[in-house]
Amino acid sequence: MGFIAEVHLVHDDLALAPTIARYPDVTIRYEYEATTAERTLQFVSVFSDEYTPLERAMDEDPTVSNPVRVATFENRAIYRMTVETDVEIVPDRCAETGLFVFTMTSAERGWIARVHLPDRDALTAFRTWSRDRGVSFRVTQLYDLSVSDNGTYFLTEQQHEILLMAYYAGYYDIPRGITQDGLAERLEISDSAVSQRLRRAVSELIAATLENDRTPSNWA
């Protein structure tokens, strides 16, 4: 059955790492890359209510160039940019061990990669290849799929905390028992940070649910 791991990867030269460090409350989700003979293009989704400051940070970010907003939706924009770094978030050679990437999202000066691994040797190889490039490698969650029948969710401690508070304070009631501003006051963080954490936490729950639904056997 294998494992599902959530790994925090940090290095100054990872794509968009300088931008992530400047705007830690903005969620950036890696979508995919397209490699041509001359360059590697990366597409990412940015979840925010304000894009101008982030776009300035991207313009100044040495790990990417020519960032272009190619689509805008409510609270989300998609960007295309050229990768200007050789330090990979997840090394391509990890595919040789059977590693599969579910998602990669920004987190504290780097990225969180949520991956499926066939065995612990694959996880060891991922860690070795990352550290050989000087990338900080820290497993934050690890699930053995052979010992549990419960749904697998991937919430960080912050996400778990804010969802519990929002739920029990009536944020999801109709009418609402507390506003987003009220949650921000309780947690002593900005309204924007509340919005980002809630959106990311709900996104993780939905992603885990959909992945389980379309998988023939139980993931966890």
Side-chain angles (χ1 to χ4, degrees):
M1 291 286 290
F3 300 86
I4 289 179
E6 187 176 274
V7 183
H8 187 200
L9 302 155
V10 177
H11 190 288
D12 290 343
D13 292 334
L14 288 175
L16 289 174
T19 299
I20 293 168
R22 287 179 63 178
Y23 293 94
D25 290 333
V26 174
T27 297
I28 302 174
R29 185 177 70 205
Y30 170 91
E31 300 295 352
Y32 71 96
E33 287 183 353
T35 302
T36 69
E38 296 82 19
R39 58 181 177 167
T40 297
L41 296 174
Q42 177 174 280
F43 290 80
V44 299
S45 289
V46 174
F47 298 88
S48 181
D49 300 319
E50 174 59 50
Y51 299 108
T52 301
L54 192 78
E55 289 173 355
R56 286 198 293 265
M58 288 180 179
D59 285 334
E60 298 169 1
D61 192 324
T63 66
V64 297
S65 63
N66 302 317
V68 176
R69 193 194 309 181
V70 297
T72 305
F73 307 97
E74 184 178 3
N75 297 321
R76 177 192 177 198
I78 298 174
Y79 288 85
R80 182 192 69 230
M81 60 201 68
T82 300
V83 176
E84 300 291 354
T85 176
D86 294 328
V87 182
E88 301 166 285
I89 303 172
V90 176
D92 287 342
R93 62 192 302 186
C94 287
E96 299 172 5
T97 68
L99 180 147
F100 173 79
V101 178
F102 288 118
T103 59
M104 291 193 292
T105 54
S106 59
E108 195 181 352
R109 301 188 301 112
W111 294 87
I112 290 284
R114 184 153 55 93
V115 300
H116 176 265
L117 306 118
D119 50 43
R120 289 187 179 272
D121 288 343
L123 180 61
T124 299
F126 182 15
R127 180 181 61 211
T128 299
W129 292 333
S130 296
R131 290 180 173 174
D132 284 348
R133 303 296 297 275
V135 177
S136 171
F137 184 103
R138 181 167 63 90
V139 176
T140 59
Q141 301 283 350
L142 184 64
Y143 304 87
D144 183 343
L145 301 185
S146 64
V147 298
S148 174
D149 293 322
N150 297 320
T152 300
Y153 301 104
F154 305 90
L155 297 180
T156 66
E157 184 176 344
Q158 284 184 340
Q159 292 166 355
H160 189 267
E161 175 191 25
I162 200 167
L163 275 182
L164 279 179
M165 179 178 291
Y167 179 78
Y168 286 112
Y171 181 77
Y172 295 106
D173 292 348
I174 300 176
R176 283 181 172 170
I178 192 172
T179 65
Q180 195 166 282
D181 287 340
L183 290 173
E185 289 180 7
R186 290 194 183 189
L187 291 168
E188 298 183 346
I189 58 177
S190 69
D191 180 71
S192 175
V194 168
S195 176
Q196 294 294 331
R197 290 182 191 179
L198 280 175
R199 190 156 49 226
R200 184 172 175 187
V202 171
S203 176
E204 291 289 347
L205 289 177
I206 292 172
T209 301
L210 293 178
E211 284 159 8
N212 286 336
D213 285 345
R214 68 169 179 253
T215 304
S217 58
N218 289 333
W219 275 102

